Amino acid sequence: SQELEQSPQSLIVQEGKNLTINCTSSKTLYGLYWYKQKYGEGLIFLMMLQKGGEEKSHEKITAKLDEKKQQSSLHITASQPSHAGIYLCGADMGGSQGNLIFGKGTKLSVKP
Amino acid sequence: DSGVTQTPKHLITATGQRVTLRCSPRSGDLSVYWYQQSLDQGLQFLIQYYNGEERAKGNILERFSAQQFPDLHSELNLSSLELGDSALYFCASSIPRTTGRNTIYFGEGSWLTVV
């Protein structure tokens, strides 16, 4: 089984709709990173969460960390075509810093 | 722009050959990480260097090696290349913090195609 599960694998939403992507770890989380990637391109850092209950927002994207559930969620409000891409969560599970375990990613398409 | 620079962006080479990928970390960042992203394995940690010294190893093959130079740039050497080594190779960097986790910034990646 995967150490880090992301769901859903893909998502198609109408522009203006809200959406949530989940990331669940099988191990204790010491930090949880969210990145966005356009196919074949670099990873754009979105947010890092490291404390239970922590919540961060950037523009219309909000991420939360539920330490007890070993889970994080990424919520996009009023989605736009510019939000389309692959969202990746990366978990620090207590190894050396920077040794992140990544989920398989969630492919988001936003229909205008 | 993350500030992490990788060259080359694209590389096509034949099986059995050797290539070198180069990475310049963000200004001031002491740690460099290498990751491999392939369709079947996803994004996987290969190796970390901190201020010139190897700090951690992940799923890095023996045919692969890396180093970090005094000016903090890093190179990933891939030898005896196989078709399965075709992937997107990322470099990332971070600055050490005294407390908490570091923000890790990724470069644009180097696309390696082995034919």
Side-chain angles (χ1 to χ4, degrees), chain B residues 55-107:
Chain B
R55 181 60 68 91
K57 261 186 177 181
N59 299 320
I60 187 166
L61 300 172
E62 285 191 10
R63 301 182 285 108
F64 296 0
S65 65
Q67 53 184 330
Q68 186 178 26
F69 296 86
D71 66 352
L72 301 177
H73 91 270
S74 177
E75 292 181 355
L76 179 67
N77 301 297
L78 315 174
S79 61
S80 302
L81 286 166
E82 302 174 1
L83 296 177
D85 297 327
S86 296
L88 187 52
Y89 290 85
F90 284 110
C91 173
S93 73
S94 69
I95 192 167
R97 297 186 188 278
T98 53
T99 59
R101 262 33 198 180
N102 306 332
T103 299
I104 299 163
Y105 294 95
F106 282 75

Side-chain angles (χ1 to χ4, degrees), chain A residues 30-31 33 35 37 39-43 45 48 50 88 92 94-100 102 104, chain B residues 33 35 37 40-43 45 48 55-57 88 90 100-108 111:
Chain A
Y30 291 85
Y33 297 73
Y35 293 90
Q37 183 182 27
Y39 177 74
E41 297 182 6
L43 275 68
F45 173 78
M48 176 185 64
Q50 54 185 332
L88 290 156
D92 179 343
S96 64
Q97 291 208 33
N99 179 354
L100 303 181
F102 278 90
K104 294 288 188 185
Chain B
Y33 315 86
Y35 280 79
Q37 187 178 40
D40 53 344
Q41 297 291 329
L43 190 56
F45 171 76
Q48 178 201 357
R55 181 60 68 91
K57 261 186 177 181
L88 187 52
F90 284 110
R101 262 33 198 180
N102 306 332
T103 299
I104 299 163
Y105 294 95
F106 282 75
E108 293 290 310
W111 265 111

Side-chain angles (χ1 to χ4, degrees), chain A residues 18-29:
Chain A
N18 302 336
L19 63 106
T20 299
I21 298 169
N22 293 302
C23 181
T24 303
S25 172
S26 61
K27 298 181 180 179
T28 301
L29 290 171

Side-chain angles (χ1 to χ4, degrees), chain A residues 1-73:
Chain A
S1 63
Q2 289 289 328
E3 289 183 287
L4 200 64
E5 296 272 0
Q6 265 187 258
S7 63
Q9 285 187 328
S10 65
L11 197 51
I12 302 173
V13 300
Q14 199 70 37
E15 182 177 357
K17 295 295 185 184
N18 302 336
L19 63 106
T20 299
I21 298 169
N22 293 302
C23 181
T24 303
S25 172
S26 61
K27 298 181 180 179
T28 301
L29 290 171
Y30 291 85
L32 194 290
Y33 297 73
W34 284 100
Y35 293 90
K36 178 186 172 185
Q37 183 182 27
K38 295 280 190 182
Y39 177 74
E41 297 182 6
L43 275 68
I44 300 168
F45 173 78
L46 297 175
M47 277 167 278
M48 176 185 64
L49 307 164
Q50 54 185 332
K51 297 175 187 176
E54 187 172 16
E55 180 175 322
K56 288 186 178 178
S57 293
H58 176 67
E59 297 179 344
K60 294 185 177 180
I61 301 176
T62 301
K64 300 179 186 178
L65 179 62
D66 186 329
E67 201 171 49
K68 288 182 182 177
K69 290 184 181 177
Q70 295 175 176
Q71 190 174 67
S72 178
S73 60

